[in-house]
Amino acid sequence: ISLVGFDLNTFLRIRHCAFSPFPAPLISQPIIAESNQYFRYVNFNTWQREGLKSVVASESGLVEQQVPFFDAAFFEWFVREVLSHTKEIAFENGVDWGHDMSWCKAAKMYSILVLNWSSEAVVCAIITAGTPIHHLDTNSITNKHSNRAFFRSRGNKVVSYYKKLFPSWVLNDIVELPNPVSRVYGHLYKKVIRIDRSCSNLFLNSTVH
């Protein structure tokens, strides 16, 4: 992942204000400039299509682990309550699957029961405007390519352990159900085309040093 040329302030402003008056999502990510990702809704080209060009941010059912931006308090809670219970099996199998399949539903529960947010608040989002980040795709996970079946079997073992511990959080469908541009499920996700100007001005004023 390369953040060269990435405009962090614009990303943070959109994240902070896109879903106002609700708080900023607990987990979010920018889109990928190279449009080379399996989850097409994180690809830059996807959001250049007719009908999507004006979207500045979209709710999502999954934020992929490549470049997530977390609310710090939630992430500390997630590490303590989730990752501390799954790290051993992840290290044992050499696969980091499972956590990004579960953290959006965990964030929804956390937002309601811990933060007392409305159930309508967005907890996971893709920030589609501003500058994208770069995924250089160096193919450094050699085992994934040289022994794909073995790698997937190890990954599925880790995911099964997540499902055993957190059965209501882990997504079974990671392709269509969490996809905000899916023809079937896309209508379930809030999409923002205009940021509240007063929120944006307040954010900009708060960042002036």
Side-chain angles (χ1 to χ4, degrees), residues 122-164:
V122 171
V123 297
C124 280
I126 309 295
I127 308 304
T128 58
T131 53
I133 57 98
H134 297 279
H135 192 296
L136 305 181
D137 195 14
T138 59
N139 292 311
S140 58
I141 309 177
T142 55
N143 190 42
K144 178 180 179 181
H145 302 283
S146 62
N147 196 341
R148 190 171 183 82
F150 177 76
F151 181 83
R152 291 184 66 85
S153 68
R154 289 297 184 102
N156 290 332
K157 184 177 180 180
V158 176
V159 171
S160 294
Y161 192 72
Y162 270 87
K163 289 180 178 180
K164 178 182 177 181

Coordinates of all heavy atoms in Angstrom, one line a residue, residues 122-164:
V122 N -24.2 4.9 10.5 CA -23.3 4.1 9.6 C -22.0 3.8 10.4 O -21.4 4.7 10.9 CB -23.0 4.9 8.3 CG1 -21.9 4.2 7.5 CG2 -24.3 5.0 7.5
V123 N -21.7 2.5 10.4 CA -20.4 2.1 11.2 C -19.3 1.8 10.2 O -18.1 1.8 10.6 CB -20.7 1.0 12.2 CG1 -21.7 1.4 13.2 CG2 -21.2 -0.3 11.4
C124 N -19.6 1.4 9.0 CA -18.6 1.0 8.0 C -18.8 1.7 6.7 O -20.0 1.8 6.2 CB -18.6 -0.5 7.8 SG -17.7 -1.4 9.0
A125 N -17.8 2.3 6.2 CA -18.0 3.1 5.0 C -16.8 3.1 4.0 O -15.7 2.9 4.5 CB -18.3 4.6 5.4
I126 N -17.1 3.4 2.8 CA -16.1 3.6 1.7 C -16.1 5.0 1.4 O -17.1 5.6 1.0 CB -16.4 2.7 0.5 CG1 -16.6 1.3 0.8 CG2 -15.2 2.9 -0.5 CD1 -15.5 0.5 1.4
I127 N -15.0 5.7 1.5 CA -14.9 7.1 1.1 C -14.5 7.2 -0.3 O -13.3 6.9 -0.7 CB -13.9 7.9 2.0 CG1 -14.2 7.7 3.5 CG2 -13.9 9.4 1.7 CD1 -15.6 8.0 3.9
T128 N -15.4 7.5 -1.2 CA -15.2 7.4 -2.6 C -14.7 8.7 -3.3 O -14.2 8.6 -4.4 CB -16.5 7.0 -3.3 OG1 -17.5 8.0 -3.0 CG2 -17.0 5.6 -2.8
A129 N -14.8 9.8 -2.6 CA -14.3 11.1 -3.1 C -12.9 11.3 -2.6 O -12.4 10.6 -1.7 CB -15.2 12.2 -2.8
G130 N -12.3 12.4 -3.0 CA -10.9 12.7 -2.5 C -9.9 11.9 -3.3 O -10.2 11.4 -4.4
T131 N -8.7 11.7 -2.8 CA -7.7 11.0 -3.6 C -7.7 9.5 -3.2 O -7.8 9.2 -2.0 CB -6.3 11.6 -3.3 OG1 -6.1 11.6 -1.9 CG2 -6.2 13.0 -3.9
P132 N -7.6 8.6 -4.1 CA -7.5 7.2 -3.8 C -6.1 6.9 -3.3 O -5.1 7.7 -3.5 CB -7.7 6.5 -5.1 CG -7.3 7.5 -6.2 CD -7.6 8.9 -5.6
I133 N -5.9 5.7 -2.8 CA -4.6 5.2 -2.4 C -4.1 4.2 -3.4 O -4.9 3.8 -4.3 CB -4.5 4.6 -0.9 CG1 -5.5 3.5 -0.8 CG2 -4.8 5.7 0.1 CD1 -5.0 2.1 -0.9
H134 N -2.9 3.8 -3.3 CA -2.3 2.9 -4.3 C -2.0 1.5 -3.7 O -1.4 1.4 -2.7 CB -1.0 3.5 -4.9 CG -1.2 4.8 -5.6 ND1 -1.6 4.9 -6.9 CD2 -1.0 6.0 -5.2 CE1 -1.7 6.1 -7.3 NE2 -1.3 6.9 -6.2
H135 N -2.5 0.5 -4.5 CA -2.2 -0.9 -4.1 C -1.2 -1.4 -5.1 O -1.6 -1.7 -6.3 CB -3.5 -1.7 -4.1 CG -3.3 -3.1 -3.5 ND1 -2.5 -4.0 -4.0 CD2 -3.9 -3.6 -2.3 CE1 -2.6 -5.1 -3.2 NE2 -3.4 -4.9 -2.2
L136 N 0.0 -1.6 -4.7 CA 1.1 -1.9 -5.7 C 1.1 -3.4 -6.0 O 1.8 -3.8 -7.0 CB 2.4 -1.5 -5.1 CG 2.5 0.0 -4.7 CD1 3.9 0.3 -4.1 CD2 2.2 0.9 -5.8
D137 N 0.4 -4.2 -5.3 CA 0.2 -5.6 -5.6 C 1.6 -6.3 -6.0 O 1.8 -6.7 -7.1 CB -0.7 -5.8 -6.8 CG -1.2 -7.2 -7.0 OD1 -1.0 -8.0 -6.0 OD2 -1.8 -7.6 -8.0
T138 N 2.4 -6.4 -5.0 CA 3.8 -7.0 -5.2 C 3.8 -8.5 -5.2 O 4.9 -9.1 -5.4 CB 4.7 -6.5 -4.1 OG1 4.2 -6.9 -2.8 CG2 4.8 -4.9 -4.1
N139 N 2.6 -9.1 -5.0 CA 2.5 -10.6 -4.9 C 3.5 -11.2 -3.9 O 4.1 -12.2 -4.2 CB 2.8 -11.2 -6.3 CG 1.7 -10.8 -7.3 OD1 0.5 -11.0 -7.0 ND2 2.1 -10.3 -8.5
S140 N 3.7 -10.5 -2.8 CA 4.6 -11.0 -1.8 C 4.1 -12.2 -1.0 O 4.9 -12.8 -0.3 CB 5.0 -9.8 -0.8 OG 3.8 -9.3 -0.2
I141 N 2.8 -12.5 -1.0 CA 2.3 -13.7 -0.3 C 2.5 -14.9 -1.2 O 1.6 -15.3 -1.9 CB 0.8 -13.5 0.1 CG1 0.6 -12.1 0.8 CG2 0.4 -14.6 1.0 CD1 -0.9 -11.9 1.1
T142 N 3.7 -15.4 -1.2 CA 4.1 -16.4 -2.2 C 3.3 -17.7 -2.0 O 3.0 -18.3 -3.0 CB 5.6 -16.7 -2.1 OG1 5.9 -17.0 -0.7 CG2 6.4 -15.5 -2.4
N143 N 3.0 -18.0 -0.8 CA 2.3 -19.3 -0.5 C 0.9 -19.2 -1.1 O 0.3 -20.2 -1.5 CB 2.2 -19.5 1.0 CG 1.7 -20.9 1.3 OD1 2.0 -21.9 0.6 ND2 0.8 -21.0 2.3
K144 N 0.3 -18.0 -1.2 CA -1.0 -17.9 -1.7 C -1.1 -18.3 -3.2 O -2.1 -18.8 -3.7 CB -1.5 -16.4 -1.6 CG -2.9 -16.1 -2.1 CD -3.2 -14.7 -1.9 CE -4.6 -14.3 -2.5 NZ -4.9 -12.9 -2.3
H145 N 0.0 -18.0 -3.9 CA 0.1 -18.3 -5.3 C 0.7 -19.6 -5.7 O 0.2 -20.3 -6.6 CB 0.9 -17.2 -6.0 CG 0.3 -15.8 -5.8 ND1 -0.8 -15.3 -6.4 CD2 0.7 -14.8 -4.9 CE1 -1.1 -14.1 -6.0 NE2 -0.2 -13.8 -5.1
S146 N 1.7 -20.1 -4.9 CA 2.3 -21.3 -5.2 C 1.5 -22.6 -4.8 O 1.7 -23.6 -5.3 CB 3.7 -21.4 -4.6 OG 3.6 -21.3 -3.2
N147 N 0.7 -22.4 -3.7 CA 0.0 -23.5 -3.2 C -1.4 -23.0 -2.7 O -1.7 -22.9 -1.6 CB 0.7 -24.2 -2.0 CG 0.1 -25.6 -1.7 OD1 -1.0 -25.9 -2.1 ND2 0.9 -26.4 -1.0
R148 N -2.2 -22.6 -3.7 CA -3.4 -21.9 -3.5 C -4.4 -22.7 -2.6 O -5.0 -22.2 -1.7 CB -4.1 -21.5 -4.8 CG -5.3 -20.6 -4.6 CD -5.7 -20.0 -6.0 NE -6.8 -19.1 -5.8 CZ -6.6 -17.8 -5.6 NH1 -5.4 -17.3 -5.4 NH2 -7.6 -16.9 -5.4
A149 N -4.5 -24.0 -3.0 CA -5.5 -24.9 -2.2 C -5.1 -25.0 -0.8 O -6.0 -24.9 0.1 CB -5.6 -26.3 -2.9
F150 N -3.8 -25.2 -0.5 CA -3.4 -25.3 0.9 C -3.6 -23.9 1.6 O -4.1 -23.9 2.8 CB -1.9 -25.6 0.9 CG -1.3 -25.6 2.3 CD1 -1.5 -26.7 3.1 CD2 -0.5 -24.6 2.7 CE1 -0.9 -26.8 4.4 CE2 0.1 -24.7 4.0 CZ -0.2 -25.7 4.8
F151 N -3.3 -22.8 1.0 CA -3.5 -21.5 1.6 C -5.0 -21.3 1.9 O -5.3 -20.8 3.0 CB -3.0 -20.4 0.6 CG -3.2 -19.0 1.1 CD1 -2.2 -18.5 2.0 CD2 -4.3 -18.2 0.8 CE1 -2.3 -17.2 2.5 CE2 -4.4 -16.9 1.3 CZ -3.4 -16.4 2.1
R152 N -5.9 -21.6 1.0 CA -7.3 -21.4 1.2 C -7.8 -22.3 2.3 O -8.7 -21.9 3.1 CB -8.1 -21.7 -0.1 CG -7.9 -20.6 -1.1 CD -8.8 -20.9 -2.3 NE -10.2 -20.7 -2.0 CZ -10.8 -19.5 -2.0 NH1 -10.2 -18.4 -2.3 NH2 -12.1 -19.5 -1.7
S153 N -7.3 -23.6 2.4 CA -7.7 -24.5 3.5 C -7.3 -23.9 4.8 O -8.1 -24.0 5.8 CB -7.2 -25.9 3.3 OG -5.8 -25.9 3.5
R154 N -6.1 -23.3 4.9 CA -5.7 -22.7 6.2 C -6.6 -21.5 6.5 O -7.0 -21.3 7.7 CB -4.2 -22.3 6.1 CG -3.2 -23.5 6.1 CD -3.3 -24.3 7.4 NE -2.4 -25.3 7.5 CZ -1.2 -25.3 8.2 NH1 -0.9 -24.2 8.8 NH2 -0.4 -26.3 8.2
G155 N -6.9 -20.7 5.5 CA -7.7 -19.5 5.7 C -9.1 -19.9 6.2 O -9.7 -19.3 7.1
N156 N -9.7 -20.9 5.5 CA -11.0 -21.4 5.9 C -11.0 -21.9 7.4 O -12.0 -21.8 8.1 CB -11.5 -22.4 5.0 CG -11.8 -21.9 3.6 OD1 -12.2 -20.7 3.5 ND2 -11.7 -22.7 2.6
K157 N -9.9 -22.5 7.8 CA -9.8 -23.0 9.1 C -9.9 -21.9 10.1 O -10.6 -22.0 11.2 CB -8.5 -23.8 9.3 CG -8.4 -24.5 10.7 CD -7.1 -25.3 10.8 CE -6.9 -25.9 12.1 NZ -5.6 -26.7 12.2
V158 N -9.2 -20.8 9.8 CA -9.2 -19.6 10.7 C -10.6 -19.0 10.7 O -11.2 -18.6 11.8 CB -8.2 -18.6 10.3 CG1 -8.3 -17.3 11.1 CG2 -6.8 -19.2 10.4
V159 N -11.2 -18.9 9.5 CA -12.6 -18.3 9.5 C -13.6 -19.1 10.3 O -14.5 -18.6 10.9 CB -13.0 -18.2 8.0 CG1 -14.5 -17.8 7.9 CG2 -12.2 -17.1 7.3
S160 N -13.4 -20.5 10.2 CA -14.3 -21.3 10.9 C -14.2 -21.1 12.4 O -15.2 -21.2 13.2 CB -14.0 -22.8 10.6 OG -14.3 -23.1 9.3
Y161 N -13.0 -20.8 12.9 CA -12.8 -20.5 14.3 C -13.5 -19.2 14.7 O -14.1 -19.1 15.7 CB -11.3 -20.4 14.6 CG -11.0 -20.4 16.1 CD1 -11.2 -21.6 16.9 CD2 -10.5 -19.3 16.7 CE1 -10.9 -21.6 18.2 CE2 -10.3 -19.3 18.1 CZ -10.4 -20.4 18.8 OH -10.2 -20.4 20.2
Y162 N -13.4 -18.2 13.8 CA -14.1 -17.0 14.0 C -15.6 -17.2 14.1 O -16.3 -16.7 15.0 CB -13.9 -16.0 12.9 CG -12.7 -15.0 13.1 CD1 -11.4 -15.4 12.7 CD2 -12.9 -13.8 13.7 CE1 -10.3 -14.6 12.9 CE2 -11.8 -12.9 13.9 CZ -10.5 -13.3 13.5 OH -9.5 -12.5 13.7
K163 N -16.2 -18.1 13.2 CA -17.6 -18.4 13.3 C -18.0 -19.1 14.5 O -19.1 -18.9 15.0 CB -17.9 -19.2 12.0 CG -17.9 -18.4 10.7 CD -18.3 -19.3 9.5 CE -18.2 -18.5 8.2 NZ -18.6 -19.3 7.1
K164 N -17.1 -19.9 15.0 CA -17.4 -20.6 16.3 C -17.5 -19.6 17.5 O -18.4 -19.8 18.3 CB -16.3 -21.6 16.6 CG -16.4 -22.4 17.9 CD -15.3 -23.4 18.1 CE -15.4 -24.1 19.4 NZ -14.2 -25.0 19.6

